[in-house]
Amino acid sequence: MGFKQLLTKVQQAEATLEVRERRVAAEWRQLKTTWKAAWTPGRVVIAGLVGGFLVGRAQPLRAAAGSSQFMQLVTTLSGLFAGGSAHVAAEEAQQAAQSAEGVADAVAPQSAAAASATASQAAASTEFPTPPNGP
């Protein structure tokens, strides 16, 4: 196989990889959107009730007394879920900040002109004549 053929083969492989990367990124965004939309408040409550019932039926205190590894697992999983929730909240806050910046940028030229007009009016109305010097 010649050098040009190898080069062509590598370029084709790179193009295929790029297409697959884009597809995976699009599918990941779709999964995130679907996952967030699926967790409605009612479903969260139902999942909590079912999980609480199952944990209560399993009598975890007896199992925890005999196994410290089980408690480590529970602690690790709770930290994992809390971290995921914090990550989602941080992403939503970042999106809100970006949209607020966009609105501020759109309104900034209009508000700057209004603020300068208001400031000049306020300065003109608060000017007092200076007292004469001397008697």
Side-chain angles (χ1 to χ4, degrees):
M1 199 178 254
F3 181 73
K4 289 185 180 184
Q5 292 173 334
L6 287 173
L7 188 60
T8 304
K9 191 173 182 179
V10 168
Q11 289 172 344
Q12 288 174 348
E14 287 176 347
T16 303
L17 179 64
E18 271 188 49
V19 168
R20 289 183 181 164
E21 284 177 344
R22 288 185 191 132
R23 187 180 311 147
V24 166
E27 289 175 0
W28 181 252
R29 282 191 303 271
Q30 180 64 33
L31 176 66
K32 279 177 49 176
T33 303
T34 305
W35 180 259
K36 286 179 185 179
W39 282 102
T40 61
R43 289 183 180 171
V44 171
V45 169
I46 290 171
L49 291 173
V50 169
F53 176 76
L54 293 176
V55 168
R57 293 291 295 169
Q59 298 177 353
L61 295 177
R62 289 186 192 167
S67 172
S68 63
Q69 291 178 350
F70 177 73
M71 288 304 292
Q72 289 176 349
L73 176 67
V74 169
T75 304
T76 303
L77 289 176
S78 67
L80 176 68
F81 290 125
S85 299
H87 181 68
V88 169
E91 286 180 357
E92 290 177 0
Q94 184 180 15
Q95 290 174 355
Q98 289 173 350
S99 66
E101 287 177 4
V103 170
D105 290 342
V107 175
Q110 297 169 356
S111 63
S116 65
T118 304
S120 64
Q121 288 175 354
S125 66
T126 59
E127 288 184 13
F128 296 106
T130 55
N133 289 342

